């Protein structure tokens, strides 16, 4: 039988001789049978070097909310970069973008731009410690806030036992080589009694609580009703800052992010991914009173490449398109339709598939559990079975993220939704 991935295999073998592990980001290592090499992408599709076409539900890990190679975004970047690519000085487009974000995002009274979500998280935590004069902060199991040392704890674990007792979880390192464990309080998410207990014990010491407002990175779990409100109340009561990591939810659940969608305004928030349609740009946004420390240079935030023309031009164009075309209604409709079709296909075959999430992003996995509300619950997902599903979908020309998250873009048509649902049904019938 002809090898569908012959060129990719050859290039990967070659890549392993110069690129560590053949890739530039850990998450790219897991693609089967090898990390694929792509040649071009447009709209909802991309093509690999072997000429295989894929309908894309990864959106390249989320940024391509408008679809690949959106003509208006690419044109805006090309025009902006004709006049220079990095002034490392001030220019008007940067300030227009700052004004636009302050007009859209509830917590954004002042902003700063960086390149990656990880950097923006790093700045938010530094700022929270400086503002409160406290060192300790609280994070939740299974939330991902980037790959930097201070947040590389309790992102994942090999088993529930490794996480420690539910009422007193232990920080689990994500990598070798991390510095000493920061003064963390780690909790399972979506658990009100444990949150109240943690605040009663540690509240006066907490500089911040950082949370994904939807636990996108494991299970795409939404907050239980009232949970984000409780976080807000407890943070206000104890003088801790509430940080929303909106790197995934931002500009995807709506132009105001998850904070507008759920009606809870944090003190600080970080954005990345969808804002600049795949060009490097992230944002730290927050209340003026807190951000003042950055404005006055008491908390240092810096970066040679910050707010370069490609990212800023792409973000301005992306926001203009999102506002002009009201894309979010369509994202929710198409996403929910696909979720429903996948759930129905699985149910008709009596498969233990669970589909959950708000719609513009959602999670699919095999689990016997009827309720999935925190990271510990997601450890019951059958990952090997889902990995086999992802590979079978790839053979049928559907590109999926290995850990179960699906992203919908404005470029997905109703026919694309049908195609994906049908492919999944075929795979499940054949299994
Ligand atoms: C919720 C969340 N926060 C932070 C990050 C880190 O962003 P970046 O990969 O741009 O550093 C990610 C990346 O996937 C993310 O999903």
């Amino acid at each position: 039988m002809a090898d569908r991935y012959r060129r990719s295999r050859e290039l990967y073998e070659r890549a392993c001789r110069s690129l560590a592990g053949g890739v530039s980001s850990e998450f790219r290592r897991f693609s089967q049978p090898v990390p694929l090499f792509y040649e071009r992408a447009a709209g909802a599709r991309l093509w690999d070097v072997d000429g295989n076409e894929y309908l894309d539900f990864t959106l390249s890990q989320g940024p391509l909310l408008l679809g690949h190679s959106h003509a208006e975004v690419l044109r805006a970047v090309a025009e902006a970069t004709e006049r220079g690519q990095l002034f490392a000085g001030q220019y008007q487009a940067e300030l227009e973008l700052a004004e636009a974000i302050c007009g859209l995002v509830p917590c954004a009274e002042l902003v700063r731009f960086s390149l990656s979500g990880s950097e923006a998280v790093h700045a938010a935590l530094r700022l929270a410690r400086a503002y409160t004069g406290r060192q300790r902060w609280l994070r939740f199991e299974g939330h991902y806030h980037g790959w930097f040392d201070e947040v590389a704890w309790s992102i994942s674990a090999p088993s529930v036992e490794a996480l420690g007792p539910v009422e007193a979880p232990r920080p689990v390192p994500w990598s070798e080589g991390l510095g000493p464990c920061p003064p963390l309080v780690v909790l399972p998410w979506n658990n009100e009694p444990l949150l109240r207990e943690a605040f009663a014990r540690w509240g006066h010491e907490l500089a911040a609580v950082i949370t994904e407002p939807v636990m996108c990175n494991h299970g795409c779990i939404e907050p239980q009703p009232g949970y984000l409100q409780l976080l807000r109340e407890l943070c206000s009561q104890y003088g801790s800052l509430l940080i929303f990591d909106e790197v995934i939810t931002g500009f995807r659940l709506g132009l105001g992010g998850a904070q507008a969608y759920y009606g809870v305004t944090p003190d600080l928030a970080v954005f990345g991914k969808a804002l600049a349609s795949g060009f490097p740009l992230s944002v730290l946004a927050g209340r003026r009173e807190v951000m003042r420390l950055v404005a006055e240079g008491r908390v240092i935030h810096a970066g040679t490449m910050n707010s370069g023309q490609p990212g800023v031009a792409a973000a301005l164009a992306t926001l203009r398109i999102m506002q002009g075309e009201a894309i979010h209604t369509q994202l929710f409709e198409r996403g929910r339709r696909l979720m429903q079709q996948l759930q129905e296909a699985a149910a008709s075959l009596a498969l233990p598939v669970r589909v959950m999430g708000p719609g513009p992003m959602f999670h699919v996995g095999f689990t016997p559990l009827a309720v999935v509300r925190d990271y510990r619950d997601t450890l019951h997902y059958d990952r090997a079975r889902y990995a086999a599903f992802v590979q079978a979908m790839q053979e049928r020309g559907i590109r999926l993220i290995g850990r179960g998250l699906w992203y919908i873009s404005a470029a997905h048509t109703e026919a694309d939704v049908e195609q994906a649902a049908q492919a999944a049904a075929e795979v499940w019938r054949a299994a």
Side-chain angles (χ1 to χ4, degrees):
M1 204 174 87
D3 180 0
R4 243 177 100 77
Y5 307 114
R6 189 181 58 83
R7 276 294 286 151
S8 274
R9 278 186 213 275
E10 287 166 4
L11 289 171
Y12 180 62
E13 214 179 290
R14 184 173 144 201
C16 284
R17 294 199 283 273
S18 57
L19 268 171
V23 298
S24 292
S25 173
E26 173 66 10
F27 299 105
R28 297 179 196 167
R29 279 202 311 118
F30 304 112
S31 164
Q32 292 295 329
V34 289
L36 299 186
F37 281 70
Y38 296 96
E39 219 160 45
R40 73 192 168 89
R45 288 181 162 67
L46 68 174
W47 290 265
D48 71 14
V49 289
D50 288 284
N52 301 307
E53 175 177 317
Y54 301 96
L55 175 56
D56 185 26
F57 290 95
T58 74
L59 308 194
S60 302
Q61 299 289 344
L64 282 307
L65 189 63
L66 298 178
H68 293 270
S69 311
H70 193 290
E72 200 176 324
V73 174
L74 296 189
R75 204 166 39 244
V77 171
E79 280 171 16
T81 50
E82 289 227 328
R83 296 189 295 274
Q85 65 272 49
L86 182 69
F87 299 137
Q90 299 320 113
Y91 65 115
Q92 193 168 324
E94 177 194 31
L95 106 84
E96 286 169 4
L97 182 60
E99 286 170 352
I101 293 169
C102 289
L104 292 169
V105 174
C107 82
E109 292 177 350
L110 286 174
V111 301
R112 270 285 175 100
F113 297 117
S114 297
L115 296 181
S116 69
S118 300
E119 286 173 273
V121 166
H122 185 63
L125 287 171
R126 178 183 288 182
L127 177 55
R129 287 189 294 262
Y131 180 77
T132 58
R134 303 171 182 176
Q135 287 298 311
R136 195 179 293 283
W137 47 281
L138 191 156
R139 64 154 296 146
F140 297 100
E141 290 171 348
H143 288 221
Y144 182 64
H145 302 297
W147 66 281
F148 290 1
D149 275 24
E150 62 190 345
V151 284
W153 297 87
S154 300
I155 291 169
S156 60
S159 64
V160 175
E161 294 70 46
L163 291 163
V166 69
E167 62 285 353
R170 70 176 79 93
V172 180
W174 191 48
S175 168
E176 293 183 24
L178 298 180
C181 184
L184 282 180
V185 178
V186 179
L187 283 188
W189 200 53
N190 255 340
N191 186 321
E192 284 201 22
L194 289 180
L195 184 65
R196 286 185 194 281
E197 270 172 38
F199 263 93
R201 172 150 186 221
W202 301 107
H204 292 294
E205 289 182 36
L206 289 180
V209 176
I210 185 165
T211 185
E212 290 184 66
V214 176
M215 190 169 130
C216 299
N217 279 294
H218 284 107
C220 203
I221 303 170
E222 288 195 72
Q224 303 229 308
Y227 189 69
L228 295 180
Q229 285 80 356
L230 179 64
L231 271 174
R232 176 65 280 172
E233 279 163 30
L234 289 170
C235 283
S236 300
Q237 183 184 337
Y238 285 87
S240 315
L241 297 189
L242 179 59
I243 305 172
F244 276 3
D245 180 342
E246 295 232 39
V247 169
I248 292 182
T249 52
F251 305 96
R252 193 180 313 274
L253 291 182
L255 288 164
Q259 50 196 277
Y261 184 72
Y262 292 109
V264 175
T265 305
D267 300 290
L268 295 173
V270 299
F271 297 86
K273 298 212 193 249
L275 174 60
S277 286
F279 288 89
L281 188 91
S282 63
V283 185
L284 167 64
R287 274 170 42 209
R288 185 176 303 276
E289 184 200 339
V290 181
M291 292 291 289
R292 189 170 50 85
L293 271 60
V294 176
E296 292 170 359
R298 289 167 56 192
V299 168
I300 301 296
H301 162 261
T304 303
M305 313 284 255
N306 287 357
S307 67
Q309 274 86 326
V312 168
L316 278 170
T318 302
L319 288 181
R320 199 164 52 238
I321 295 160
M322 284 181 180
Q323 284 173 303
E325 296 175 14
I327 65 155
H328 292 95
T329 314
Q330 183 187 308
L331 290 179
F332 276 91
E333 272 172 18
R334 301 244 154 102
R336 286 180 178 167
R337 172 111 194 91
L338 181 51
M339 290 172 73
Q340 188 191 352
Q341 292 199 9
L342 292 170
Q343 194 67 79
E344 283 171 6
S348 72
L349 297 162
L351 291 174
V353 168
R354 199 175 162 77
V355 183
M356 56 193 286
M361 71 285 190
F362 59 87
H363 181 271
V364 180
F366 297 93
T367 181
L369 295 186
V371 176
V372 177
R373 67 169 197 177
D374 64 16
Y375 175 64
R376 289 172 189 242
D377 292 340
T378 70
L379 287 170
H380 295 281
Y381 278 114
D382 185 339
R383 281 152 207 250
R385 196 170 179 185
Y386 193 77
F389 169 69
V390 169
Q391 205 175 339
M393 288 291 272
Q394 183 175 287
E395 311 280 303
R396 284 170 174 72
I398 311 282
R399 186 190 190 211
L400 300 177
I401 294 175
R403 66 182 191 284
L405 192 61
W406 292 50
Y407 283 112
I408 302 293
S409 81
H412 283 120
T413 62
E414 282 178 21
D416 294 335
V417 166
E418 295 298 321
Q419 183 186 336
Q422 251 177 39
E426 273 169 35
V427 170
W428 287 333
R429 264 198 300 274

